[in-house]
Amino acid sequence: MTQSREEDRRGRSAAAAIVDAAFRLFNEFGYDETSVDDIAAAAGVSRSSFFRLFGSKEMVIFPDHDAILAAVEERLAASTEKSAILAVSDAVRVVLFHYIAEGPLARRRYQLTSTVPALRERELISGSRYQQLFRQYISAWGDGSEESERRGELMAAGVVAAHNRVLRRWLREECEDPHLEIDEAMAQVNALFTPAPVPAPVAPGAIVVVRTDQDLAAVAEQLRSM
Amino acid sequence: MTQSREEDRRGRSAAAAIVDAAFRLFNEFGYDETSVDDIAAAAGVSRSSFFRLFGSKEMVIFPDHDAILAAVEERLAASTEKSAILAVSDAVRVVLFHYIAEGPLARRRYQLTSTVPALRERELISGSRYQQLFRQYISAWGDGSEESERRGELMAAGVVAAHNRVLRRWLREECEDPHLEIDEAMAQVNALFTPAPVPAPVAPGAIVVVRTDQDLAAVAEQLRSM
DNA sequence: CAATGGATGATACTCAGTTTCATGACCGAG
DNA sequence: CTCGGTCATGAAACTGAGTATCATCCATTG
């Protein structure tokens, strides 16, 4: 476990210095106006080290997406069809509260991603990787039918959309209680997807009585289309 | 209406020549291995003209996203809350059948986007613009409540996911009849989102009889949670 | 014919990202 | 202590995308 001498001397890693310098310069001069050389110089490292540590200019902003993705996968993998809904809800919370735990840093990042198209796009890409992961697991829990696959795809999209909405509201400080809102949002998603959407075996002629919030016209329309 | 002399002479626009050359070179040598200079040279135009016409290397692959987006917006704008579901279904079909009408070209593009990360990402970006557009209109049709906004976001995500699934299946030639599949997929989305997801005014104590495919245990569970 | 304007091409520039090589600190073995 | 190896860093050159500038050419118009 050999830490760099610079790190020992200054008490922080070169990576942290780079991130600091990057956010500061982006804030002051703008993303496009700040070159990698500027960042490296301000952080007291070489251009080479910058790319060795972060791979690209965009990645200074999004440090640990891979780690979060791994955490999500871990949570989803530790589940079966039985506990699927719970697993999905938990996994979403893993992501959400990771960002919330970042606090002001997450908000500074949001300010950048709202402003700079390239960064917004980068964020979209990572979001789609979450969606892909969710889809993969949700699909695996279903039978292989096309309708079930579609359900997996729709639900994954819904889960990510719900998460994004709550996160974005929190980032914009429009959200009092993220715990409450993510609970509500996930409840809404679950309500959408838990009632069996697929015609499944049932005794023909069976009659079931349920309460509904729809008015009579809507109910009549549904009955007619059956 | 002055067409270029090259165009007159060769009977095709410089843009078409560039697209042809690009796809051919990408196929033969790969996307990353083909430089813009190579494409321009093969198409018999200058590097300058390439960027003037397409703006970026990626845009040779995705020519008319803006046009499709405008068509979608037009279809959505020509609608009210009453015909909302129909408008959304129609708008989705506009996109889907535009790609299907491209035929082999769409499949060549798919082969590239499956292979080259940068292009897959670019495609994702444009997909998110559709989603954003759908969300905007669907949200406008609801009341302004947070739950209604979430519903708009979820439904937009679902609509785009459903479209993407059908398109991808068609591109992979896994899809016999795209008309049928998009009908099914949109029916699934509509089934998900048309039953009022929000507790709404209804005469207390009203009883409605509907047929369901759920088994008794599931129904009992639903009743218990009401 | 001369003037104008729009499209094209040539050139030079910035900057992100890659590759290669040199340096220098640390560590274990002799 | 010294040699040899490894690893982190830095320096420098290179490729290629995208931008900006300027000259040119050709068709139209007066």
Side-chain angles (χ1 to χ4, degrees), chain B residues 93-109:
Chain B
R93 284 180 179 79
V94 166
V95 183
L96 179 67
F97 292 116
H98 175 96
Y99 287 117
I100 289 183
E102 285 185 330
L105 181 65
R107 289 214 167 94
R108 286 209 286 170
R109 182 189 303 124

Side-chain angles (χ1 to χ4, degrees), chain B residues 26-205:
Chain B
F26 291 163
N27 244 355
E28 186 167 4
F29 302 106
Y31 181 80
D32 290 325
E33 288 69 27
T34 304
S35 75
V36 171
D37 294 270
D38 296 337
I39 302 172
V45 298
S46 73
R47 200 180 124 84
S48 302
S49 291
F50 178 95
F51 282 109
R52 218 186 321 265
L53 285 167
F54 292 95
S56 82
K57 186 180 174 186
E58 292 167 351
M59 279 311 148
V60 188
I61 313 292
F62 309 105
D64 39 21
H65 262 139
D66 288 341
I68 310 179
L69 209 67
V72 170
E73 171 135 38
E74 189 185 1
R75 180 62 191 88
L76 288 177
S79 172
T80 64
E81 192 172 349
K82 284 299 240 190
S83 54
I85 297 174
L86 188 62
V88 169
S89 294
D90 274 8
V92 166
R93 284 180 179 79
V94 166
V95 183
L96 179 67
F97 292 116
H98 175 96
Y99 287 117
I100 289 183
E102 285 185 330
L105 181 65
R107 289 214 167 94
R108 286 209 286 170
R109 182 189 303 124
Y110 177 65
Q111 211 219 338
L112 284 173
T113 55
S114 328
T115 308
V116 184
L119 296 180
R120 184 199 297 275
E121 292 171 2
R122 176 56 49 195
E123 203 173 37
L124 230 47
I125 307 300
S126 8
S128 82
R129 289 175 61 195
Y130 293 118
Q131 182 167 334
Q132 156 77 6
L133 191 57
F134 278 111
R135 191 201 57 73
Q136 182 181 323
Y137 276 89
I138 297 173
S139 286
W141 291 325
D143 56 7
S145 75
E146 175 59 19
E147 200 146 354
S148 159
E149 295 291 309
R150 272 201 297 256
R151 176 176 172 278
E153 191 128 11
L154 291 175
M155 186 166 175
V159 165
V160 172
H163 162 275
N164 286 345
R165 175 157 193 90
V166 176
L167 178 58
R168 210 176 315 124
R169 280 174 55 81
W170 180 81
L171 289 167
R172 288 203 277 243
E173 309 192 56
E174 295 167 3
C175 170
E176 310 272 334
D177 181 356
H179 288 83
L180 178 65
E181 288 208 7
I182 192 65
D183 284 353
E184 285 179 7
M186 288 308 296
Q188 191 170 349
V189 172
N190 288 332
L192 241 46
F193 288 95
T194 46
V198 188
V202 68

